[in-house]
Amino acid sequence: MQEEDFFNDELIERFEAMIKDERVSYFDTGEFTYIIMYYLDLSNIEYAGKALSLAKTQHPYDTEIKIREAEVFLSYGNLPEVVKLIEELKYIVPDHTDFLIVQAKYWSLSRASLKAIAFYKKALKNSEDENYLYSSIGDEYLRIQEIGKALYYFKKALELYPKDEYAFYSCIQCFDEIHLYKECVNFLNQYLDVQPYSEVAWFQLGLKQIKLRNYHEAYIAFDYAIIIDSTFLSAYTQKAGCLEQMHRYDEAIKVYEEVLHLEKSPAMVYFKMGLCYNKMEESLRALRLFQQAIYEDPQLEKPWSESAFIYERFENYQEALYYLCRAIDLSENNLIYWKHSVYLNVQLGYYEEAIIAYKKILQLQPDWYDHWINYAELLIKVGDYYQVIKLLKKALKKFGNFGKLNYYISFCYFLMQQEKEGLIELAKSCRSSS
């Protein structure tokens, strides 16, 4: 441990011991400055406030303490008090770097990014913390959607300190904002020339290659990330996903099997393995894995629905409906599930349940004309002609004159032996069709 780090740790311990023992100790302005900023960096506003209060008592006229007071007010979002301190200090220490940064932060919180940028740039002239200032300027440009300028400053920060994760991810965000995925790939390749053992850079490179549908290149990038960090769970799953995109399902399954040793909640991994077997038309193995996923996490609806599709493939409609109903319980507004339930209920002769499903479908997608027609056909099948007429008259108000709607209405009237009404609707149908 360096001597300075030891001193600073000892300083914080001394301050906290003082607070705990409810006594007062003396600290010089430099020590108070460090203590206040230490707690602000930890977002511990309470202790920063305590340190500031004692500092003001011991050094009531010190400009450094007043600058830290402004920092504390900024943390509270108390901008009127910050303004008072700025007015007081601007004639005393106009070019003090930390004071310039305080003013920049004030204008940032006031949503005046251009003014904030001007103060950050002024602070750059004398500050040793260029990395922080470049990123701060980048943040302001990002806020006002000047993405190119934001990217320039984040890159500057990264050049100064290549391991700065904030600047790195901010660069990635800029490329994503303007959908420059090829340019981002170039940026990442250049970054990896400098930082070849950065697993996060390899991972991001893989993600961008996926955006460009370069699945083989993405697979290689994820592989490098895993070589660097053998516990990088997301890299494994993305690597497996790339293999799936390349229809290399056997290899994808092997990668997912590796993930099982790392994943604490493996339900989704079992599910993805099941999907691979399903694509390989190995339905029984897929079904076993879907059921394993259900065992691991019964609240995950997708394994339930996929199991239903497999049972349907085996023409075991009763079992298929059981699994689908569980999926619907977990995702009650899933239109695909409700449509599937109509088919299964009709296959089993459960027409009342199919009618309930169609009512839900019309709630979820009322503007889809075919749903109204299909629902009407089901009601005709069960002989509920009155409900068909009622339903299709609503459809006429919604969609206007469609010959098919009037035809079905007339057909129901004829079945109900109301020939006069049937002929009227049939005539309307003919006029609409001509």
Side-chain angles (χ1 to χ4, degrees):
M1 180 182 290
Q2 294 181 355
E3 187 177 343
E4 184 182 353
D5 293 333
F6 177 79
F7 166 75
N8 290 335
D9 288 344
E10 188 180 47
L11 183 62
I12 296 301
E13 287 176 12
R14 186 156 63 93
F15 176 77
E16 292 185 356
M18 180 196 72
I19 298 295
K20 184 179 179 182
D21 297 340
E22 297 183 350
R23 54 185 171 80
V24 176
S25 299
Y26 178 82
F27 296 89
D28 64 33
T29 56
E31 289 172 329
F32 271 126
T33 295
Y34 176 83
I35 293 167
I36 293 167
M37 295 311 297
Y38 172 84
Y39 288 116
L40 286 179
D41 288 342
L42 292 177
S43 298
N44 189 336
I45 309 301
E46 180 188 355
Y47 267 64
K50 287 179 178 181
L52 174 65
S53 179
L54 184 59
K56 287 173 68 178
T57 301
Q58 295 186 4
H59 309 282
Y61 305 111
D62 189 273
T63 54
E64 288 287 345
I65 299 303
K66 288 184 181 293
I67 291 170
R68 303 311 151 194
E69 185 178 15
E71 292 268 14
V72 172
F73 281 130
L74 284 167
S75 298
Y76 283 122
N78 190 340
L79 299 187
E81 291 298 326
V82 178
V83 171
K84 290 178 185 177
L85 286 164
I86 288 173
E87 288 299 315
E88 180 182 343
L89 293 169
K90 69 181 182 180
Y91 299 109
I92 304 169
V93 284
D95 296 321
H96 190 295
T97 301
D98 290 340
F99 179 54
L100 292 171
I101 292 171
V102 162
Q103 292 176 87
K105 288 180 178 178
Y106 165 76
W107 289 115
S108 179
L109 287 173
S110 302
R111 300 290 176 181
S113 290
L114 291 176
K115 288 184 178 180
I117 288 166
F119 279 103
Y120 280 130
K121 286 182 176 179
K122 197 172 180 182
L124 264 174
K125 294 174 183 176
N126 300 314
S127 176
E128 294 179 0
D129 198 2
E130 292 176 282
N131 173 259
Y132 165 76
L133 292 171
Y134 282 136
S135 285
S136 298
I137 294 168
D139 284 335
E140 297 304 325
Y141 276 124
L142 197 56
R143 178 180 290 173
I144 58 176
Q145 290 297 296
E146 291 196 28
I147 310 298
K149 290 181 180 178
L151 181 59
Y152 171 80
Y153 281 99
F154 288 131
K155 282 183 175 180
K156 294 279 284 183
L158 206 56
E159 285 171 15
L160 286 173
Y161 183 52
K163 291 185 179 180
D164 183 345
E165 287 192 8
Y166 183 80
F168 173 78
Y169 282 113
S170 296
C171 287
I172 301 298
Q173 182 185 350
C174 288
F175 283 114
D176 284 345
E177 289 269 348
I178 46 183
H179 309 294
L180 293 178
Y181 303 124
K182 286 183 180 178
E183 290 78 2
C184 191
V185 166
N186 293 333
F187 161 77
L188 287 165
N189 280 323
Q190 290 169 10
Y191 181 80
L192 285 163
D193 287 339
V194 180
Q195 295 288 319
Y197 299 107
S198 171
E199 70 275 18
V200 294
W202 283 110
F203 182 75
Q204 288 295 325
L205 179 60
L207 294 179
K208 296 303 167 285
Q209 293 287 17
I210 287 175
K211 289 281 188 183
L212 296 169
R213 299 188 179 181
N214 297 330
Y215 298 112
H216 180 70
E217 290 79 1
Y219 163 82
I220 293 170
F222 294 130
D223 210 25
Y224 274 116
I226 291 166
I227 290 168
I228 297 165
D229 181 359
S230 61
T231 64
F232 199 158
L233 188 59
S234 296
Y236 280 101
T237 55
Q238 292 291 346
K239 177 182 173 181
C242 289
L243 288 166
E244 287 186 61
Q245 290 292 337
M246 294 186 284
H247 307 292
R248 292 158 61 178
Y249 302 117
D250 280 332
E251 294 173 70
I253 289 167
K254 288 177 182 176
V255 176
Y256 284 130
E257 286 171 348
E258 292 182 68
V259 174
L260 286 174
H261 301 297
L262 301 170
E263 179 62 80
K264 293 179 181 178
S265 304
M268 184 56 76
V269 182
Y270 283 119
F271 172 67
K272 288 181 177 180
M273 289 169 69
L275 288 178
C276 288
Y277 278 117
N278 215 5
K279 289 169 184 174
M280 294 162 66
E281 299 184 358
E282 294 189 37
S283 299
L284 286 174
R285 297 181 81 172
L287 183 60
R288 281 197 292 271
L289 284 159
F290 292 146
Q291 291 180 343
Q292 183 66 37
I294 290 168
Y295 173 79
E296 296 289 344
D297 183 3
Q299 299 303 306
L300 190 64
E301 99 265 2
K302 289 185 181 294
W304 290 100
S305 66
E306 289 295 330
S307 296
F309 281 114
I310 290 178
Y311 278 116
E312 182 191 331
R313 200 177 303 151
F314 296 153
E315 297 185 3
N316 187 342
Y317 300 120
Q318 192 71 57
E319 202 70 14
L321 185 59
Y322 166 76
Y323 279 89
L324 186 63
C325 285
R326 289 303 305 272
I328 289 172
D329 288 341
L330 295 166
S331 182
E332 63 178 353
N333 291 326
N334 190 308
L335 187 64
I336 294 171
Y337 294 170
W338 283 106
K339 288 181 180 180
H340 191 195
S341 76
V342 169
Y343 172 77
L344 293 175
N345 278 304
V346 168
Q347 289 296 314
L348 290 163
Y350 299 161
Y351 298 117
E352 288 185 17
E353 288 80 358
I355 287 168
I356 291 168
Y358 257 125
K359 286 179 181 177
K360 184 66 176 181
I361 289 168
L362 284 183
Q363 286 178 18
L364 295 172
Q365 201 175 39
D367 297 327
W368 196 262
Y369 173 76
D370 286 346
H371 294 334
W372 295 78
I373 293 296
N374 294 336
Y375 185 17
E377 289 176 346
L378 177 61
L379 289 170
I380 290 170
K381 187 178 182 71
V382 299
D384 197 345
Y385 309 127
Y386 174 77
Q387 286 298 328
V388 176
I389 293 167
K390 188 177 176 182
L391 174 74
L392 295 182
K393 283 187 175 180
K394 282 184 183 177
L396 279 168
K397 289 180 181 178
K398 186 173 186 63
F399 298 105
N401 290 324
F402 275 80
K404 198 170 187 179
L405 296 175
N406 294 112
Y407 174 77
Y408 275 113
I409 293 171
S410 71
F411 179 63
C412 288
Y413 276 127
F414 284 127
L415 289 171
M416 294 165 69
Q417 297 182 345
Q418 297 181 24
E419 293 186 8
K420 182 179 178 182
E421 289 83 355
L423 288 169
I424 292 169
E425 293 298 330
L426 186 60
K428 290 178 183 178
S429 173
C430 292
R431 285 198 298 272
S432 298
S433 302
S434 59

